[in-house]
Every structure is written in C-alpha cells, then in structure tokens.
Amino acid sequence: MEFLVRAENRLPPETPAERREELRSGERARAMELREAGILKRLWRVPGRTGWIGLFEAPDPAALHDALVSLPMSPWLDVHVEALAQHPQER
Amino acid sequence: MEFLVRAENRLPPETPAERREELRSGERARAMELREAGILKRLWRVPGRTGWIGLFEAPDPAALHDALVSLPMSPWLDVHVEALAQHPQER
Amino acid sequence: MEFLVRAENRLPPETPAERREELRSGERARAMELREAGILKRLWRVPGRTGWIGLFEAPDPAALHDALVSLPMSPWLDVHVEALAQHPQER
Amino acid sequence: MEFLVRAENRLPPETPAERREELRSGERARAMELREAGILKRLWRVPGRTGWIGLFEAPDPAALHDALVSLPMSPWLDVHVEALAQHPQER
Amino acid sequence: MEFLVRAENRLPPETPAERREELRSGERARAMELREAGILKRLWRVPGRTGWIGLFEAPDPAALHDALVSLPMSPWLDVHVEALAQHPQER
Amino acid sequence: MEFLVRAENRLPPETPAERREELRSGERARAMELREAGILKRLWRVPGRTGWIGLFEAPDPAALHDALVSLPMSPWLDVHVEALAQHPQER
Amino acid sequence: MEFLVRAENRLPPETPAERREELRSGERARAMELREAGILKRLWRVPGRTGWIGLFEAPDPAALHDALVSLPMSPWLDVHVEALAQHPQER
Amino acid sequence: MEFLVRAENRLPPETPAERREELRSGERARAMELREAGILKRLWRVPGRTGWIGLFEAPDPAALHDALVSLPMSPWLDVHVEALAQHPQER
Amino acid sequence: MEFLVRAENRLPPETPAERREELRSGERARAMELREAGILKRLWRVPGRTGWIGLFEAPDPAALHDALVSLPMSPWLDVHVEALAQHPQER
Amino acid sequence: MEFLVRAENRLPPETPAERREELRSGERARAMELREAGILKRLWRVPGRTGWIGLFEAPDPAALHDALVSLPMSPWLDVHVEALAQHPQER
C-alpha cells in the first residue's frame, strides 16, 4: 500500500556543518537503499524548506515506520503520514 | 491492519424524524455486518456529539474506504482516518 | 513541473443520484483525457472521503489551473495545490 | 470508562543514547504493569512518529492521570485525552 | 466525575421567533431538571454568543451524553466535552 | 465576575527535582491563599497534563491578572482567560 | 471594564437589499445609543470585510452581552470577546 | 501604501451560468477601472481556486475597503488584508 | 491611520531578574515617548499573559514598524498587526 | 513563473549583534544579486516582524528553492511558498 509522507526537518540551524553533512550523506545513502527496496517511490523538496514530501510503498504501517526511523535524520524529522487508497481509475 | 476512524455527522438537524430513523437503523444494521466481518472492531460515541470514533481492521485503505462508504449515513459523514502501526509491545 | 493537488468534494449529499452519476462519469472521462495528456500522473482516494489527492504535471500554474477547472466536478471542489521542487536525489 | 489517549514525545533528539534507552525500558516495564492492571488496553504507534495512541480504561479521569504520570517518559509527553462514551451498539 | 462542556448554538438566524422561543423555553425547563438531578452544576454565557459553557457532573461519559442529547436544542448544538480530573488541592 | 482560566505549564522537563518541588509547594500555598480570598473557586487537572483549568472570581481583569502573576509558577504558565457572563438561569 | 469585540457578519449575500438596508440603519441607530450610553467607545472596519472590531466598556460581561444582542444584526454576528486588563502604564 | 489582499470566492456553485457570467464581466470591468486608478497593481489566480491574490495600493485602509466593496462579486468574497511595510531595500 | 497590535512576549522565564527589570523600565520609557508622539494611543494587558494589545496611530505601516522595533523588548516580541479602517459611524 | 514567498525569521534574539549584522549585510548583498538576476521582484516587511513577504520569479520551484537557500539567513528562515497563476486579466 502507498503512503504520502510529509517531513519537516527540525535539525537546529546551529548544527556544525560537518555533523550536518554527515547526516545528509547518511540520509542520501539510506534513501537510496529504500528506493532499491521499492519502499521509497518518489521524493520532492518543498521549495524554501529543508523538509520533503515522499511517496512510499510498504506492506503495512509498521513496515513504513521501520523504514522512516531507519533514516539517520529521523530523530529531527517531524513526520506526518497519510494512508492512500487506490483510486478506482487506477485499478 | 488497524485504522482509527473519526466521523462527524453532518446530517442537517432539520432532517425529518422518519428519514433520520431510517438512516440510523440502516446504519446499525450495516455496522453489525461490518462487525461480523471483523472490519469494525470497536465503536464509541464522542459525548455530546452525533459522530463516533471507531477502530477498524481492513487489509488495506481501499478496503476500509469501501466499508466506510457502505454505511447508509456515509454521504453526511465527515471522516478522518489514521493508519495505526502495530506497537512493538503488542507483537 | 509537478504539483501535489488535494481536493475536497463539497457536492451536497442531497444531490440527486442521476446528477451525481452524470458528474462522476464526466469526471472519469475528463480525468482520462488529462492522464493521456500527461497532466494527471497519479490519483488516490483519501480513505473515507469523497475527495482525492493527485500528482499533476504542467508547464506552469496557469496550465494546471486550466486543467483543474476543466473537471466537471470543479465547481464543488475545494482545491489546494503545492508546487513540488525536484529533489536532488532524483536528478 | 475508556479514554483515547494521544501522546507526542518531546524528548530532545540530542538526549544521549544511554539515557534514552533507560527511559524506554522503564516505559516498557511500566506499560506492562498498566496492562496487567487492566488500565492500558491497546497501544499503537503513529507511523513515523515517536509518540503513540492508546486505549485506556480507568475508574475516573484522576485515576487515568495518575497512570499517565507514572510513565517514566511522562515529563516529555504532550498528552491529549478524550473521554469515550459507550456506544449503544456495544451495550 | 465532572465535565467542562462548551456548546455553540447553530440554530439558523432565520428560525421563526415562535419556534425559537419554544426551543428556548424547553431548554430552560430541561436544564432545570438536569440541575435538580445534580447533573448540571453551573452554566455561563459566553458574552456575545448564543452558546454556553457548563460544568456537568455525571457517573460516566455515556450518562453525560444522554443528558446533553435530552436538551431540546441539542440537534443544533455543536458540543465539545473535556473530562476534568479532580485536583489534589481539592481532595 | 467569573473567569475560566486555562493554564499550560511550560516548566522544562529538565528542571531539577528540588527546584520543581519548591515551585510546586509555593504554588500550593499561594493557591490556598487565593481560595481563602475567594478568587480561586475551583481547580481541575486536565488528565495527562501538568497544566490546569480554574474557575476564578475577581472584580475586574486587572485584579485577575494580579492574582495569576502572583503564582510562583507564573513565568512558565501559558494562560488563556475567558470572561464568563452570568447565565439568566442562574440569576 | 473594557472589552475588545470582534464580529464577523454572516448575513447571507442573497439577503434582499431592502432587508439589508433596514438591518444596517437599525444597526447604526442602536450603535449610536450604545455610544451615548458610554458602552461603545470605538468602532473600526476590518478592510474588505463586513464585520467590525469594537472597543466596549461595560460593568461586567453580562452587561456587555446584553448590549451586543441588542444590535439588530446580532443574530447574524459571529462575535468573539476579549476582556482587557488595565495596563499599569495607564493607571 | 500597499496591501496584500487574499480573496476566497464563496459564490454558490449552483449559481446560474448567466448570473455568474454577469458577475464575472462586471468584476473584470471594475477591476480594470481600479487598475487605471492605480489601486489594483497586480492580480493572480491561486491555482485550482476561484479566488485571487492581489497587490493593491491605496492612501489608507478605508480607501482600500471602498475599492474592495465596489467589486460586484464583493458580497461573496471572503477577504483578508495585510498591510505591507516598505522594505528598506526598496527605499 | 490606526493599527491594532497584539504582542506576545517570548522573553525566556529564566532571564535574570536584573536583565528583565532593565528591559521593562526601558520598555516603559520608550512607550511613554511613543505616547507623547501620538503613536501609541491605548495599551492593555491580556489578563494572565505578559504580552499586550495596543492601539497605534502612524502615517503608514513602515512608520509603525519603526516604532515597534524601537521598543527594547522588541527582539522577544511576537507581533501581529491589523490595519483598521475608519468606520463610517466615526466619520 | 511567479511565487509569493512568506518568511518568518527564527534567528534567536540572543544572537550577538555582530553576528546578526554580518548575517543582515550578507542578506542584503545576496538579495541585491537576486534582484539583478530578475528572481526577486518585490520585497516587503510585515510590520512589527523580522520576516518578510516577497514576490519571486523563477523558471521552476527547484530554481526558486536554490535562490532561497542561497540567502545567508536561510537556515533560520521558516519559508512558505505559493505558486501564483497568471490571471487572465493580465494576459
């Protein structure tokens, strides 16, 4: 099933550049794995913000939860999830 | 998977008593069927309101959607759904 | 560019079934055309609601506007649009 | 009487892993006791978030309050409670 | 247990004066009965509004619900209830 | 005149236990004085939260303000006040 | 004591011009009386809206309530009141 | 001085096409006059919605109010205005 | 033109008393100057809160901005401004 | 295409004056470049606040994002963007 995920990034602006870069590259690497596993299907930036909107696919909400908390930035993400129902037009 | 469903009932207060009763008894009958099918697990009243909070179980959001729109009161319900993830304590 | 579109459907519940069906089938037909034109990319139901969430692609917001108001249900839709920025991971 | 409890967890992301683990295991132990006492009936994760949704049963709101503040994580929880009324269908 | 109840009155302004008066006097009579039964303890007007704030006492939320829907104005009331916990200072 | 007062307590969870206890006992002592002065009429806990809801009586909003800021916890309280109008049923 | 009053005007746009004018002139006349009685101290328009913001003075919230509901437009006004406390700088 | 004006259009979807067109063409004509008078400086559509966002210039809020209520669609517009302050970079 | 200004005061409760008093007395002195200049016309306390509501008069929003940021407490104030339009009844 | 951008500035009030000035002058310099590049078309202050409202033009949301995060104050800005559609009156 598919989920629309919206994440605000609360990493403090004062975070040292090195720590920030470490988190970002870890984030990219883990996102790549989630893409390859078919869990992360699309990812967008919300213009002007550090957060993102993503389209995920997972067998159930607990599996989605596990994927989201596996992101290194996860402790600073404020995440809201919407379960999406298949539209009859796409059956 | 389980869903927490919150429904506000927007049936106009001016609805004739007969029509209202017809909808309510249809609602009860259909809810009973959903219970027997294991889709509706718990149902509560929000005190002072005509809406309800329900705990549903369905294989996916589309199946939940079909169950919810099968309720005769459905055209007047303002429904919000939250997908619930199994908590590790309950595994 | 891509847009995330969220539509609530305010068609009154008292709308006659015939009129409702006419609107729905017109909606399906027009959505099909927008898909074929590459404007409507994905469409989901929000479980329990008559509205939808869609992923659209259009050259600019005015073109998106024209596509959205071309839907027969458009006068009853309460639409909110978010412009999505391409994420560096998808470049 | 039953209560629907929604808790957001405001524990700072910078909390040392050891302190965090200590709080979590204390939380698990206390939740287990509340389950055995029949106060905590169900517990869910909200996907992507560190908070939870729970179904509690307590003789009155003061007893519920005492149960909630007995959780070791309690000082960091932002809790909202809804009193649920038994639905006639479940009488 | 005590409940703080907040009611907005959605009776349409166009309601004929006679119908309005009939509802109001029925409301007063029923409120008087709820006072005598010890269920309605205090009642206030919110200045400038037709709704009210009330302090109720009932054995459980279902009993409160029954009291609230017994008010003749009930179909037009938009009611929100908060369960109040006894404060240690008042034990 | 009566006021409904709602206070959220923003005292940081990291506040040392000793400081916290000192504030709480000062709070209890001052609340007792406000009760004896007839300013604080009722006090409730909001289940699961550290804040409170109170029913106050004071000659005017300035006197209420002085009473509220006399509470030792006052610098950490986020307070909202509603002026209550006497209901004709209670005249 | 002084009150800040904010009123949204929900008079339906379809109201006949004659009825609308009748209400408006009644409103002006009653407002004039409230000014002369020292209850209405200032009145502003919120640009682009049919509602208003007013500064009122009344001995208590019940007297303010009576003044507000004496306005002929009152059944269509959505009113919110804030009790203002005298600032020490103005003592 | 400049104002940012946001208008939602609440004209009922059931309005006959003729009446709707009459209002729209009146709206265009009046907007043209406001442009020529230097009051309306820019106008945008919010994609998917019938309302608009406009940049206005007027000597004071009362003059802006008069301009806004001179629009034939005005009774159905839900308008919010923000006064904009000149930015030092544009002095 | 007149403005309704609402300020929440975000000065941290942990601010040393000396610093706090220094800011407050500077605030009083500057407010006095703004009164004498005819910019600050009225000032109220919101009961229970450290912020205030003020009625200001300034030739334009930029002048109001300059007045507001001249307050020593300004960096901690969360300010919202509404431009008020003269009401025809006060012309 | 044009975008309406609203930025709240979360730079902590405790930031040293020197650091604050450094950020502001960097902000001015970069804004000047964005103006010359035709990306920043208008900029306003929201009276009483440190944030701003801007009218931007960029080929797509990703280009707008790059422009916004190129501002030195960007890590402290809480930015919301609305895509504006050209209004037929301005074609």
Side-chain angles (χ1 to χ4, degrees), chain G residues 8 13-14 20 45-50, chain H residues 12 61 65 68 75-76 78-81:
Chain G
E8 294 287 324
E14 294 76 14
R20 181 180 298 272
R45 267 198 180 138
V46 185
R49 303 187 70 79
T50 51
Chain H
H65 182 81
L68 290 169
W76 292 274
D78 184 16
V79 172
H80 287 91
V81 167

mmCIF file of all heavy atoms in Angstrom, chain G residues 8 13-14 20 45-50, chain H residues 12 61 65 68 75-76 78-81:
data_model
loop_
_atom_site.group_PDB
_atom_site.id
_atom_site.type_symbol
_atom_site.label_atom_id
_atom_site.label_comp_id
_atom_site.label_asym_id
_atom_site.label_seq_id
_atom_site.Cartn_x
_atom_site.Cartn_y
_atom_site.Cartn_z
ATOM 1 N N GLU G 8 -17.770 38.964 13.073
ATOM 2 C CA GLU G 8 -17.909 38.627 11.656
ATOM 3 C C GLU G 8 -19.394 38.679 11.336
ATOM 4 O O GLU G 8 -20.213 38.223 12.136
ATOM 5 C CB GLU G 8 -17.385 37.209 11.389
ATOM 6 C CG GLU G 8 -15.908 37.036 11.601
ATOM 7 C CD GLU G 8 -15.102 37.691 10.496
ATOM 8 O OE1 GLU G 8 -15.552 37.662 9.342
ATOM 9 O OE2 GLU G 8 -14.023 38.229 10.796
ATOM 10 N N PRO G 13 -25.301 36.712 1.584
ATOM 11 C CA PRO G 13 -25.179 37.691 0.489
ATOM 12 C C PRO G 13 -26.470 37.812 -0.317
ATOM 13 O O PRO G 13 -26.674 38.827 -0.978
ATOM 14 C CB PRO G 13 -24.056 37.123 -0.382
ATOM 15 C CG PRO G 13 -23.340 36.128 0.450
ATOM 16 C CD PRO G 13 -24.305 35.634 1.469
ATOM 17 N N GLU G 14 -27.313 36.797 -0.229
ATOM 18 C CA GLU G 14 -28.536 36.822 -1.022
ATOM 19 C C GLU G 14 -29.643 37.629 -0.341
ATOM 20 O O GLU G 14 -30.742 37.754 -0.890
ATOM 21 C CB GLU G 14 -29.038 35.391 -1.261
ATOM 22 C CG GLU G 14 -28.126 34.539 -2.127
ATOM 23 C CD GLU G 14 -26.890 34.039 -1.382
ATOM 24 O OE1 GLU G 14 -26.885 34.133 -0.140
ATOM 25 O OE2 GLU G 14 -25.932 33.573 -2.038
ATOM 26 N N ARG G 20 -31.555 44.247 3.963
ATOM 27 C CA ARG G 20 -30.179 44.563 4.358
ATOM 28 C C ARG G 20 -30.081 46.010 4.850
ATOM 29 O O ARG G 20 -29.471 46.306 5.875
ATOM 30 C CB ARG G 20 -29.267 44.331 3.153
ATOM 31 C CG ARG G 20 -27.802 44.579 3.352
ATOM 32 C CD ARG G 20 -27.034 44.302 2.050
ATOM 33 N NE ARG G 20 -27.155 42.926 1.640
ATOM 34 C CZ ARG G 20 -26.324 41.944 2.044
ATOM 35 N NH1 ARG G 20 -25.319 42.249 2.826
ATOM 36 N NH2 ARG G 20 -26.499 40.716 1.643
ATOM 37 N N ARG G 45 -13.763 49.332 10.955
ATOM 38 C CA ARG G 45 -13.984 48.327 9.936
ATOM 39 C C ARG G 45 -12.701 47.545 9.715
ATOM 40 O O ARG G 45 -11.612 48.107 9.756
ATOM 41 C CB ARG G 45 -14.351 49.001 8.614
ATOM 42 C CG ARG G 45 -15.829 49.129 8.436
ATOM 43 C CD ARG G 45 -16.143 49.366 6.991
ATOM 44 N NE ARG G 45 -17.581 49.498 6.791
ATOM 45 C CZ ARG G 45 -18.128 50.393 6.005
ATOM 46 N NH1 ARG G 45 -17.373 51.256 5.348
ATOM 47 N NH2 ARG G 45 -19.431 50.419 5.854
ATOM 48 N N VAL G 46 -12.856 46.247 9.467
ATOM 49 C CA VAL G 46 -11.724 45.437 9.029
ATOM 50 C C VAL G 46 -11.750 45.535 7.505
ATOM 51 O O VAL G 46 -12.726 45.109 6.888
ATOM 52 C CB VAL G 46 -11.881 43.975 9.490
ATOM 53 C CG1 VAL G 46 -10.647 43.174 9.126
ATOM 54 C CG2 VAL G 46 -12.151 43.924 10.988
ATOM 55 N N PRO G 47 -10.713 46.118 6.877
ATOM 56 C CA PRO G 47 -10.815 46.404 5.442
ATOM 57 C C PRO G 47 -11.157 45.152 4.622
ATOM 58 O O PRO G 47 -10.572 44.094 4.823
ATOM 59 C CB PRO G 47 -9.451 46.967 5.067
ATOM 60 C CG PRO G 47 -8.555 46.724 6.228
ATOM 61 C CD PRO G 47 -9.424 46.538 7.430
ATOM 62 N N GLY G 48 -12.150 45.306 3.740
ATOM 63 C CA GLY G 48 -12.548 44.213 2.850
ATOM 64 C C GLY G 48 -13.604 43.300 3.438
ATOM 65 O O GLY G 48 -14.077 42.395 2.759
ATOM 66 N N ARG G 49 -13.972 43.513 4.702
ATOM 67 C CA ARG G 49 -14.925 42.615 5.355
ATOM 68 C C ARG G 49 -16.144 43.406 5.836
ATOM 69 O O ARG G 49 -16.065 44.595 6.077
ATOM 70 C CB ARG G 49 -14.291 41.911 6.546
ATOM 71 C CG ARG G 49 -13.034 41.132 6.179
ATOM 72 C CD ARG G 49 -12.504 40.313 7.326
ATOM 73 N NE ARG G 49 -13.350 39.189 7.639
ATOM 74 C CZ ARG G 49 -13.382 38.040 6.970
ATOM 75 N NH1 ARG G 49 -12.570 37.863 5.947
ATOM 76 N NH2 ARG G 49 -14.193 37.072 7.294
ATOM 77 N N THR G 50 -17.258 42.679 6.040
ATOM 78 C CA THR G 50 -18.455 43.358 6.521
ATOM 79 C C THR G 50 -18.518 43.391 8.042
ATOM 80 O O THR G 50 -19.398 44.034 8.600
ATOM 81 C CB THR G 50 -19.718 42.646 5.978
ATOM 82 O OG1 THR G 50 -19.597 41.260 6.274
ATOM 83 C CG2 THR G 50 -19.822 42.833 4.470
ATOM 84 N N PRO H 12 -22.108 30.507 -4.604
ATOM 85 C CA PRO H 12 -22.527 29.098 -4.604
ATOM 86 C C PRO H 12 -22.366 28.472 -5.989
ATOM 87 O O PRO H 12 -22.671 29.098 -7.010
ATOM 88 C CB PRO H 12 -24.006 29.171 -4.204
ATOM 89 C CG PRO H 12 -24.191 30.486 -3.534
ATOM 90 C CD PRO H 12 -23.186 31.404 -4.173
ATOM 91 N N PRO H 61 -6.504 52.351 4.777
ATOM 92 C CA PRO H 61 -7.362 51.159 4.772
ATOM 93 C C PRO H 61 -8.814 51.453 4.402
ATOM 94 O O PRO H 61 -9.477 50.609 3.798
ATOM 95 C CB PRO H 61 -7.239 50.638 6.210
ATOM 96 C CG PRO H 61 -5.917 51.126 6.690
ATOM 97 C CD PRO H 61 -5.741 52.466 6.047
ATOM 98 N N HIS H 65 -10.858 49.617 1.551
ATOM 99 C CA HIS H 65 -12.164 48.999 1.807
ATOM 100 C C HIS H 65 -13.176 49.433 0.746
ATOM 101 O O HIS H 65 -13.901 48.596 0.188
ATOM 102 C CB HIS H 65 -12.651 49.372 3.203
ATOM 103 C CG HIS H 65 -13.964 48.749 3.564
ATOM 104 N ND1 HIS H 65 -14.073 47.467 4.016
ATOM 105 C CD2 HIS H 65 -15.227 49.236 3.509
ATOM 106 C CE1 HIS H 65 -15.345 47.174 4.238
ATOM 107 N NE2 HIS H 65 -16.070 48.236 3.938
ATOM 108 N N LEU H 68 -12.551 47.636 -2.483
ATOM 109 C CA LEU H 68 -12.889 46.209 -2.464
ATOM 110 C C LEU H 68 -14.393 45.994 -2.510
ATOM 111 O O LEU H 68 -14.888 45.108 -3.209
ATOM 112 C CB LEU H 68 -12.277 45.537 -1.226
ATOM 113 C CG LEU H 68 -10.755 45.406 -1.263
ATOM 114 C CD1 LEU H 68 -10.213 44.992 0.103
ATOM 115 C CD2 LEU H 68 -10.317 44.402 -2.326
ATOM 116 N N PRO H 75 -20.037 40.819 -2.318
ATOM 117 C CA PRO H 75 -20.814 40.159 -1.262
ATOM 118 C C PRO H 75 -20.451 38.688 -1.053
ATOM 119 O O PRO H 75 -20.738 38.139 0.004
ATOM 120 C CB PRO H 75 -22.259 40.296 -1.756
ATOM 121 C CG PRO H 75 -22.237 41.447 -2.721
ATOM 122 C CD PRO H 75 -20.879 41.422 -3.349
ATOM 123 N N TRP H 76 -19.843 38.067 -2.053
ATOM 124 C CA TRP H 76 -19.488 36.644 -1.929
ATOM 125 C C TRP H 76 -18.003 36.444 -1.648
ATOM 126 O O TRP H 76 -17.552 35.317 -1.534
ATOM 127 C CB TRP H 76 -19.878 35.893 -3.213
ATOM 128 C CG TRP H 76 -21.345 35.831 -3.385
ATOM 129 C CD1 TRP H 76 -22.194 34.892 -2.860
ATOM 130 C CD2 TRP H 76 -22.156 36.757 -4.107
ATOM 131 N NE1 TRP H 76 -23.480 35.195 -3.210
ATOM 132 C CE2 TRP H 76 -23.499 36.314 -3.981
ATOM 133 C CE3 TRP H 76 -21.903 37.924 -4.845
ATOM 134 C CZ2 TRP H 76 -24.571 37.006 -4.558
ATOM 135 C CZ3 TRP H 76 -22.958 38.600 -5.418
ATOM 136 C CH2 TRP H 76 -24.281 38.144 -5.279
ATOM 137 N N ASP H 78 -14.667 36.403 0.563
ATOM 138 C CA ASP H 78 -14.157 36.342 1.929
ATOM 139 C C ASP H 78 -12.728 36.886 1.858
ATOM 140 O O ASP H 78 -11.827 36.212 1.370
ATOM 141 C CB ASP H 78 -14.187 34.885 2.417
ATOM 142 C CG ASP H 78 -13.768 34.766 3.870
ATOM 143 O OD1 ASP H 78 -13.748 35.785 4.577
ATOM 144 O OD2 ASP H 78 -13.451 33.646 4.300
ATOM 145 N N VAL H 79 -12.550 38.121 2.313
ATOM 146 C CA VAL H 79 -11.332 38.878 2.039
ATOM 147 C C VAL H 79 -10.470 39.012 3.294
ATOM 148 O O VAL H 79 -10.989 39.282 4.381
ATOM 149 C CB VAL H 79 -11.708 40.285 1.520
ATOM 150 C CG1 VAL H 79 -10.481 41.169 1.408
ATOM 151 C CG2 VAL H 79 -12.406 40.187 0.173
ATOM 152 N N HIS H 80 -9.177 38.798 3.131
ATOM 153 C CA HIS H 80 -8.220 39.086 4.203
ATOM 154 C C HIS H 80 -7.133 40.006 3.671
ATOM 155 O O HIS H 80 -6.577 39.750 2.606
ATOM 156 C CB HIS H 80 -7.616 37.804 4.764
ATOM 157 C CG HIS H 80 -8.580 37.052 5.603
ATOM 158 N ND1 HIS H 80 -9.406 36.079 5.083
ATOM 159 C CD2 HIS H 80 -8.910 37.156 6.921
ATOM 160 C CE1 HIS H 80 -10.166 35.603 6.058
ATOM 161 N NE2 HIS H 80 -9.894 36.227 7.164
ATOM 162 N N VAL H 81 -6.826 41.034 4.452
ATOM 163 C CA VAL H 81 -5.911 42.085 4.014
ATOM 164 C C VAL H 81 -4.704 42.123 4.940
ATOM 165 O O VAL H 81 -4.853 42.020 6.151
ATOM 166 C CB VAL H 81 -6.640 43.447 4.057
ATOM 167 C CG1 VAL H 81 -5.665 44.588 3.934
ATOM 168 C CG2 VAL H 81 -7.699 43.520 2.968
#
